Amino acid sequence: MSTSTVTVTVIGMTCGHCVSSVREQIGNIDGVTAVDVDLASGRVIINSHEPLERSAIQNAVEEAGYQLAE
């Protein structure tokens, strides 16, 4: 089985609760196996079985209440 890793930057996270919200929402995307969030940089590393649509990631981030950097 192939795996895919994508790194995105999330704008607006300020605390551990923010990290938890983003991790939970992105983790709900079908096929996601791991979500690593770095609060200081806003960097989010997402591992999944298949490449993810950017729109799916963006929707999850917005659902959590934050913005995806371009």
Side-chain angles (χ1 to χ4, degrees):
M1 180 176 288
S2 67
T3 58
S4 175
T5 301
V6 63
T7 302
V8 297
T9 301
V10 175
I11 300 167
M13 295 186 297
T14 57
C15 66
H17 179 263
C18 301
V19 169
S20 296
S21 296
V22 169
R23 185 181 291 126
E24 181 179 342
Q25 290 297 332
I26 293 175
N28 287 337
I29 300 171
D30 281 347
V32 170
T33 56
V35 181
D36 182 40
V37 181
D38 180 63
L39 177 60
S41 66
R43 187 174 295 119
V44 181
I45 301 169
I46 307 162
N47 295 315
S48 58
H49 293 303
E50 301 290 331
L52 298 173
E53 294 288 333
R54 184 172 171 87
S55 61
I57 299 168
Q58 184 168 347
N59 289 342
V61 168
E62 289 175 358
E63 187 72 28
Y66 306 97
Q67 288 184 303
L68 200 56
E70 289 305 318

